[in-house]
C-alpha cells in the first residue's frame, strides 16, 4: 500500500470516528431532552386548544380530541377534597388504561388550580418503563388533565446507537475500499511520472504515456515537453 493510500485511510478513519463520537454523544445526552421538549410543546398546544373551548363542548368532544392528538383527557370537580379529587382523576385514568401508582396532586397544586393557574407534572413509572406527562388546567370549577404517556428514550437510544455502530462500521469499510481504489488510480500515474523524472535526471529522455484527463495528465505533458527539449541540443 502506498504512502498516499495510508494517509488517506488514516484521515478518513479519524474523521469518521470523530463524527461518530459526536453523533453518539448527541444521541445519548441531548436527544432525550429534545424529545421531552417536543412532547411538552405538543402538550402545551393541545392544552391551549382545550382552554379555548367551553366546558360543555369539551365534554362532548373528549373522545375526538384524544384520538386526534393521541392524548388522554380526564376531569374532576375542584370543589372536592384533595383525596376525593385525586381518587376521581386516578379512577378515570384507570378507565382509560392509564395506571399511575404515584399519581397525586398536592394541596398546593389544587390551590393553584382554584386560583386559575396551571400545573404541569411528569410522573415516572419505572415498572411500565414510561413517563406520564400531564398538564392540569382549570375550567369552570373543574380541573382538566391533559396527559400523554412517553416511553423511556434510553432503551430506544441504546438501540439507535447500536444500529449506528453497524452503519458507521460499514461506511468506514466502504470508504477505505474506495480510498484504496481511488488512490491506486492516482498513485500509478504519479509513479510513472516519478520514473520518467528520474530517467530524465539520468539523461535518459523518456516520456510518460498518461491519460487521466486531469491535472496529472497536464503535468505529464509538461514533463514530456521538457524531456523533448532537453533531448534536442541547443
Amino acid at each position: 500500500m502506498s504512502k498516499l493510500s495510508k494517509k488517506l485511510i488514516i484521515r478518513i478513519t479519524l474523521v469518521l470516528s470523530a463524527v461518530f463520537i459526536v453523533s453518539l454523544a448527541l444521541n445519548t445526552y441531548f436527544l432525550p431532552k429534545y424529545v421531552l421538549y417536543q412532547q411538552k410543546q405538543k402538550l402545551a398546544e393541545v392544552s391551549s386548544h382545550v382552554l379555548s373551548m367551553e366546558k360543555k363542548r369539551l365534554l362532548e368532544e373528549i373522545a375526538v380530541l384524544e384520538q386526534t392528538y393521541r392524548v388522554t383527557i380526564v376531569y374532576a370537580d375542584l370543589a372536592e377534597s384533595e383525596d376525593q379529587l385525586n381518587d376521581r382523576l386516578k379512577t378515570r385514568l384507570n378507565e382509560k388504561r392509564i395506571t399511575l401508582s404515584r399519581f397525586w396532586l398536592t394541596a398546593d397544586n389544587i390551590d393553584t388550580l382554584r386560583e386559575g393557574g396551571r400545573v404541569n407534572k411528569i410522573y415516572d413509572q419505572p415498572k411500565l418503563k414510561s413517563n406520564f406527562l400531564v398538564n392540569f388546567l382549570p375550567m369552570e370549577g373543574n380541573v382538566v388533565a391533559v396527559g400523554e404517556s412517553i416511553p423511556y428514550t434510553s432503551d430506544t437510544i441504546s438501540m439507535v446507537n447500536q444500529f449506528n455502530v453497524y452503519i458507521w462500521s460499514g461506511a468506514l469499510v466502504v470508504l477505505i475500499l474506495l480510498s484504496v481504489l481511488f488512490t491506486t488510480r492516482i498513485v500509478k500515474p504519479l509513479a510513472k511520472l516519478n520514473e520518467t523524472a528520474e530517467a530524465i535526471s539520468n539523461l535518459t529522455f523518456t516520456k510518460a504515456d498518461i491519460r487521466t484527463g486531469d491535472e496529472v495528465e497536464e503535468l505529464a505533458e509538461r514533463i514530456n515537453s521538457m524531456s523533448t527539449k532537453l533531448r534536442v541540443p541547443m
Side-chain angles (χ1 to χ4, degrees):
M1 184 181 293
S2 66
K3 294 180 180 179
L4 183 60
S5 297
K6 290 180 180 178
K7 287 183 178 180
L8 186 58
I9 291 172
I10 290 173
R11 289 177 182 176
I12 288 176
T13 302
L14 290 175
V15 170
L16 278 181
S17 299
V19 173
F20 173 72
I21 291 172
V22 171
S23 175
L24 190 66
L26 289 174
N27 286 344
T28 303
Y29 299 106
F30 295 102
L31 187 57
K33 296 179 181 179
Y34 178 75
V35 170
L36 182 59
Y37 171 78
Q38 290 294 327
Q39 295 291 345
K40 286 182 177 180
Q41 290 294 105
K42 172 194 169 184
L43 205 59
E45 292 177 4
V46 178
S47 298
S48 297
H49 179 60
V50 168
L51 284 176
S52 69
M53 304 172 66
E54 294 182 355
K55 177 183 173 182
K56 180 179 179 181
R57 181 186 167 199
L58 172 63
L59 297 181
E60 293 173 349
E61 298 185 8
I62 282 181
V64 175
L65 291 171
E66 289 180 325
Q67 185 174 5
T68 301
Y69 297 105
R70 297 183 180 179
V71 296
T72 300
I73 302 175
V74 296
Y75 63 94
D77 192 340
L78 276 172
E80 294 181 320
S81 67
E82 179 182 337
D83 291 339
Q84 289 175 330
L85 187 146
N86 279 289
D87 288 341
R88 183 83 62 188
L89 290 174
K90 287 180 66 174
T91 299
R92 289 178 173 171
L93 285 171
N94 289 339
E95 290 172 354
K96 297 187 178 184
R97 298 182 180 179
I98 302 294
T99 304
L100 302 173
S101 57
R102 299 180 182 179
F103 177 87
W104 198 258
L105 278 175
T106 64
D108 290 338
N109 296 149
I110 295 172
D111 288 340
T112 299
L113 290 165
R114 286 171 178 168
E115 292 170 2
R118 298 188 188 184
V119 174
N120 302 325
K121 283 183 172 288
I122 298 179
Y123 297 99
D124 185 22
Q125 299 297 305
K127 293 182 179 180
L128 300 176
K129 293 187 176 181
S130 66
N131 295 315
F132 188 69
L133 179 64
V134 56
N135 291 354
F136 295 96
L137 316 169
M139 176 178 284
E140 301 179 21
N142 289 265
V143 54
V144 179
V146 183
E148 181 177 16
S149 292
I150 306 173
Y152 281 167
T153 56
S154 57
D155 295 338
T156 303
I157 290 173
S158 177
M159 289 186 290
V160 169
N161 286 338
Q162 184 177 3
F163 187 66
N164 282 340
V165 169
Y166 299 142
I167 292 177
W168 285 103
S169 299
L172 180 60
V173 172
V174 172
L175 285 175
I176 288 175
L177 293 175
L178 290 175
S179 65
V180 171
L181 176 62
F182 291 148
T183 53
T184 298
R185 295 184 63 180
I186 295 173
V187 168
K188 283 186 177 180
L190 291 178
K192 289 183 180 180
L193 288 178
N194 185 50
E195 292 174 0
T196 302
E198 184 177 0
I200 292 174
S201 68
N202 293 326
L203 302 179
T204 302
F205 304 107
T206 60
K207 294 183 179 181
D209 184 18
I210 296 176
R211 298 288 185 269
T212 58
D214 52 25
E215 288 81 358
V216 177
E217 183 177 341
E218 293 177 2
L219 178 60
E221 290 175 355
R222 291 189 178 92
I223 291 178
N224 291 339
S225 177
M226 179 181 68
S227 178
T228 300
K229 292 177 180 179
L230 290 173
R231 180 184 298 176
V232 179
M234 301 298 292

